[in-house]
Amino acid sequence: MKYLELINKCLVELNYKKVGSFSELIKNEHKKLQNILNVINSEVCTSARWDFLLRKKEMTIPANTPEIENNIEGRIETVIIDGVVYCYCADFEQFLTNSQPEGTYGLFNDKILLPMFPKEKKVQIVYYTKNCAKNSQGEEKLLLENADDESLIPEPFVEPLLVYGSCMRLKGNPQSIHFNYWLSMYKDALANLHSRVSAVVDNAPTVKMFRK
């Protein structure tokens, strides 16, 4: 769903007048709503390890080089070298003294720390993108900014999450007659996203009950 469509859905839900174009969004309430839509979109995208945010990138490790530039735009999930998965080691000092555990990688400022290899190597990095939106050409970006931008949250979850979440945040009074409805719809949409977004059945959340 396009950004302008989401804004108009919110305006209708809030009993405000819809706009015909992005240039009509000039009121303070319009600006607040635009900001809140981006906040909710970012919060949802960063709240879990969503499959729809997984990306893969291949990089080159030069020979006899213990570090490479970390130009991954997001959170690293998996590092693979020569078909072997390397585990993250938080103690970067071990890499600086070349005493890190075997089969590990580390992070230090804008560098990915790795073992030194005598020959050039390719490293595959699977990561969760930090981007939460895309433009009309499908290019990913951090924020919803233009009328035809879209959230990376998949349909049909994006509308209830962003519309009800934004209305609830903008009119954040629990005493409001609409607040509980918005909260309920938002929570239901988030629960449905958790349960249905994975392409693998085994990854779906389950509830286990135990007898005492």
Side-chain angles (χ1 to χ4, degrees):
M1 181 170 285
K2 307 296 185 185
Y3 188 28
L4 184 58
E5 292 178 81
L6 288 169
I7 292 171
N8 273 325
K9 291 274 187 180
C10 290
L11 292 174
V12 170
E13 191 67 30
L14 293 163
N15 292 318
Y16 294 154
K17 183 180 178 181
K18 292 171 62 174
V19 297
S21 66
F22 212 71
S23 60
E24 295 177 37
L25 297 170
I26 56 176
K27 296 180 180 180
N28 287 337
E29 290 294 292
H30 292 158
K31 301 303 181 184
K32 288 180 183 178
L33 181 57
Q34 287 175 265
N35 180 62
I36 289 172
L37 271 165
N38 270 299
V39 169
I40 299 295
N41 189 43
S42 178
E43 285 181 354
V44 173
C45 286
T46 56
S47 66
R49 294 180 172 182
W50 303 115
D51 287 357
F52 60 84
L53 296 179
L54 278 173
R55 304 288 183 269
K56 185 172 72 171
K57 185 171 187 176
E58 185 173 271
M59 301 170 69
T60 299
I61 310 170
N64 301 310
T65 303
E67 62 185 32
I68 56 175
E69 292 289 331
N70 182 7
N71 54 17
I72 299 298
E73 295 187 347
R75 297 169 291 166
I76 294 175
E77 169 69 14
T78 307
V79 171
I80 304 172
I81 305 172
D82 289 340
V84 177
V85 175
Y86 279 59
C87 299
Y88 174 64
C89 175
D91 188 356
F92 64 87
E93 291 181 349
Q94 293 188 42
F95 289 88
L96 301 181
T97 58
N98 199 30
S99 59
Q100 73 274 12
E102 186 176 353
T104 61
Y105 75 95
L107 298 172
F108 181 73
N109 290 337
D110 58 348
K111 304 289 185 181
I112 300 176
L113 308 178
L114 298 157
M116 280 198 294
F117 298 101
K119 296 181 180 179
E120 180 181 284
K121 296 279 186 181
K122 297 292 184 182
V123 55
Q124 289 185 326
I125 298 178
V126 178
Y127 65 99
Y128 293 94
T129 179
K130 68 178 183 181
N131 293 316
C132 303
K134 61 182 178 181
N135 63 22
S136 58
Q137 285 76 46
E139 298 167 336
E140 294 184 359
K141 55 195 299 187
L142 194 60
L143 300 173
L144 295 160
E145 298 170 304
N146 304 311
D148 54 0
D149 286 348
E150 296 181 66
S151 169
L152 293 184
I153 300 171
E155 299 285 358
F157 311 105
V158 62
E159 180 181 341
L161 283 170
L162 298 194
V163 172
Y164 294 121
S166 297
C167 291
M168 181 178 62
R169 187 69 61 88
L170 185 64
K171 300 293 183 181
N173 180 7
Q175 305 305 316
S176 167
I177 59 174
H178 299 293
F179 184 85
N180 287 334
Y181 171 72
W182 293 333
L183 177 60
S184 174
M185 295 298 288
Y186 173 82
K187 290 171 68 175
D188 286 349
L190 189 59
N192 286 332
L193 180 63
H194 275 285
S195 65
R196 299 179 188 176
V197 75
S198 176
V200 181
V201 174
D202 290 344
N203 283 347
T206 59
V207 177
K208 296 182 179 180
M209 301 182 69
F210 302 92
R211 294 175 181 264
K212 288 188 178 181

